[in-house]
Amino acid sequence: MPARTTTPPHSDTEAFLYRRLETLTETAGKFHLNVELPIPFDGWGRMEVDLLCERTRLAIELDGGQHLSDPDAYRRDRRKDALLQENGYLVLRFLAEDVGKYLDQVLDAILRVLSHQVAKR
């Protein structure tokens, strides 16, 4: 089981999405913020994901603009996604900007994946 951290959100967008997920019946109490997983990554013995639903093994990552404008950050994110997938996690990655502009679409995507993951179990 992953270790849950007690660190505050790394961004306002993380905090906003987490709080919003807590208001929905389908997602309340299911997600944890800034969870460390025991998966070696970038020279560390662990990696952190922005939001995690442990039950369905759904990791949500929120990317600021630097993730697209910096080729190294983009490559790092792809490596992280691949490692998560190799370890049985499904990754949803959203632009932080889209959480504010297209919140309903982001929530719909999360709810669709959750319902699909639960149906598979």
Side-chain angles (χ1 to χ4, degrees), residues 1-7 32-36 54:
M1 175 165 288
R4 292 186 195 141
T5 64
T6 56
T7 59
H32 302 284
L33 192 59
N34 299 324
V35 177
E36 286 186 356
E54 294 175 68

Side-chain angles (χ1 to χ4, degrees), residues 41-42 47 72 74-84 86:
F41 182 64
D42 278 0
M47 80 166 56
D72 290 332
Y74 180 86
R75 288 182 191 99
R76 180 182 183 278
D77 288 344
R78 300 298 76 72
R79 287 193 316 273
K80 185 175 185 180
D81 291 351
L83 281 170
L84 284 164
E86 288 171 20

Side-chain angles (χ1 to χ4, degrees), residues 22-93:
E22 285 295 296
T23 69
L24 300 176
T25 304
E26 303 92 337
T27 55
K30 293 183 180 175
F31 283 90
H32 302 284
L33 192 59
N34 299 324
V35 177
E36 286 186 356
L37 298 172
I39 301 171
F41 182 64
D42 278 0
W44 298 94
R46 65 194 184 292
M47 80 166 56
E48 185 178 277
V49 295
D50 295 336
L51 292 156
L52 180 71
C53 177
E54 294 175 68
R55 180 170 173 248
T56 61
R57 297 180 70 86
L58 172 60
I60 298 175
E61 291 287 288
L62 303 176
D63 297 337
Q66 75 278 8
H67 290 260
L68 297 176
S69 62
D70 178 355
D72 290 332
Y74 180 86
R75 288 182 191 99
R76 180 182 183 278
D77 288 344
R78 300 298 76 72
R79 287 193 316 273
K80 185 175 185 180
D81 291 351
L83 281 170
L84 284 164
Q85 291 167 13
E86 288 171 20
N87 284 274
Y89 292 90
L90 180 64
V91 182
L92 288 180
R93 191 172 283 278

